[in-house]
Amino acid sequence: MSILNFGSLNLDYTYRVSHIAAPGETLTSRSLEVRPGGKGLNQSVSLARAGAVVCHAGLIGEDGRILEESCRESGVDTQFIGVSDVRTGNAIIQVDDSGQNCIILFPGANRAVDEQFADRVLESFGSEDHILLQNEISSLPYIIDRAWERGMKIILNPSPMDERLKECDLEKVWLFILNEVEGAQLTGMKEPEEILQEMRRRYPGARIVLTLGADGSMYSGEGKVLRQKIFPAETVDTTGAGDTFSGYFITEYLASGDAASALRRASMASAIAVSRKGAAEAVPEMEEVIRMLRERGSL
Ligand code: RIB
């Protein structure tokens, strides 16, 4: 069994600023760093560092070879990372003094994913495999339908949420991982319990992980609801913390079926990630996550 992560690869241009720029304001940044990112790439790196067998599929431009390299160095299978004529996707990220961020995306090659490329990738995978998707690439509805036909279990992180998701058949999703804002947009509900209830009503066959920022996270599946608190950490940069969470949750959940343990590991991994700069580069290795859980008496 392996995980195919069909997702974005971005060059993240991260500007450190005193505060997030307001409309009409010109703000001078303190620094600029260019790092590997993209929800897809970050989640592949997180899966690999958590110990999963992961293959990343996606497109970069000639200017994005460093992203393929970064995946490979983390142990991700890169055979389905293709090079298109379109330039690599990028993200303009402001990170303020409290570590919060604000992101503008330029999709670039991520939106050059077409049905032909999807078919070529998917023919190597089948009912033993899981597919992980986010909402930063093109052809998502097609990929969901074809993966479903092949019997793959579909894991969806519907982020960033936009109108394009309405074209996807979400009833085919096996596991949702989403935050409370996305949950509210998807269901029209506000409170976490209501969001989960409405998700269960609409997608009765799916398991759901709902992240709640400082309020932790919840899991709904197998007829039970679980809650996990955050592990407090000094916040340096929150970029990619949700991606770290997703990779760690998925890895442990698929390996052991123990959702409580998966929430715990994911929470600790994302607490470590926010205490560091960057997205993919901030994802901890599994040994560190286990050591920290042991130190906090949570293992
Ligand atoms: O989730 C964080 C990621 O969102 C960044 O790495 C950026 O590239 C955007 O895709």
Side-chain angles (χ1 to χ4, degrees):
M1 177 193 79
S2 70
I3 303 169
L4 168 65
N5 182 13
F6 211 140
S8 60
L9 302 109
N10 290 337
L11 289 165
D12 283 359
Y13 291 81
T14 302
Y15 298 83
R16 296 295 307 201
V17 288
S18 54
H19 59 278
I20 305 295
E25 180 181 18
T26 300
L27 187 61
T28 303
S29 69
R30 297 201 186 107
S31 64
L32 165 63
E33 284 171 287
V34 186
R35 295 198 180 89
K39 292 187 195 306
L41 179 149
N42 299 339
Q43 292 182 25
S44 278
V45 168
S46 179
L47 287 161
R49 292 193 183 160
V53 176
V54 54
C55 177
H56 190 99
L59 292 176
I60 51 175
E62 277 298 344
D63 56 337
R65 298 270 183 188
I66 185 187
L67 301 178
E68 184 181 0
E69 196 51 44
S70 161
C71 285
R72 197 175 306 122
E73 277 169 10
S74 294
V76 176
D77 180 344
T78 58
Q79 63 175 305
F80 292 114
I81 296 180
V83 180
S84 84
D85 297 339
V86 185
R87 66 179 288 184
T88 303
N90 67 58
I92 303 295
I93 306 178
Q94 299 177 52
V95 179
D96 72 11
D97 283 345
S98 66
Q100 298 307 312
N101 67 58
C102 172
I103 303 180
I104 296 173
L105 277 179
F106 172 74
N110 296 309
R111 291 263 179 102
V113 171
D114 58 16
E115 297 182 359
Q116 221 181 346
F117 179 65
D119 285 340
R120 191 161 66 75
V121 172
L122 290 172
E123 72 186 16
S124 297
F125 297 87
S127 57
E128 294 292 292
D129 303 311
H130 293 76
I131 183 168
L132 169 61
L133 298 161
Q134 310 79 26
N135 190 27
E136 286 187 347
I137 57 168
S138 46
S139 302
L140 201 60
Y142 183 82
I143 295 170
I144 289 177
D145 291 347
R146 296 293 87 74
W148 166 263
E149 281 165 16
R150 301 188 77 80
M152 297 178 79
K153 291 202 174 81
I154 299 166
I155 305 172
L156 179 67
N157 171 221
S159 181
M161 183 72 78
D162 63 24
E163 289 296 303
R164 296 181 319 138
L165 270 173
K166 291 196 176 139
E167 293 159 33
C168 298
D169 184 355
L170 299 185
E171 285 178 23
K172 293 176 175 158
V173 174
W174 180 75
L175 166 65
F176 286 94
I177 303 183
L178 71 176
N179 65 32
E180 58 191 319
V181 177
E182 292 151 358
Q185 287 170 324
L186 199 60
T187 61
M189 300 294 163
K190 215 168 145 208
E191 297 303 321
E193 286 78 8
E194 294 170 349
I195 293 172
L196 286 179
Q197 201 177 7
E198 180 59 15
M199 290 285 294
R200 281 194 300 267
R201 191 188 67 75
R202 289 191 197 180
Y203 315 112
R207 296 128 198 84
I208 306 144
V209 175
L210 186 66
T211 59
L212 308 168
D215 291 330
S217 51
M218 295 175 81
Y219 170 83
S220 173
E222 296 102 20
K224 64 190 174 200
V225 174
L226 305 172
R227 281 181 173 273
Q228 172 66 48
K229 290 189 177 145
I230 59 160
F231 291 98
E234 193 200 336
T235 305
V236 172
D237 183 353
T238 54
T239 315
D243 301 327
T244 301
F245 185 100
S246 298
Y248 266 83
F249 180 87
I250 293 164
T251 304
E252 171 66 0
Y253 184 65
L254 296 188
S256 69
D258 183 344
S261 166
L263 284 180
R264 245 185 340 265
R265 289 184 184 203
S267 300
M268 179 55 86
S270 54
I272 297 170
V274 300
S275 69
R276 295 175 180 159
K277 286 185 184 173
E281 287 174 7
V283 179
E285 297 285 349
M286 179 59 108
E287 296 75 54
E288 186 178 5
V289 174
I290 298 295
R291 179 166 47 78
M292 295 289 285
L293 282 170
R294 199 167 283 134
E295 279 174 23
R296 307 257 179 124
S298 295
L299 202 62

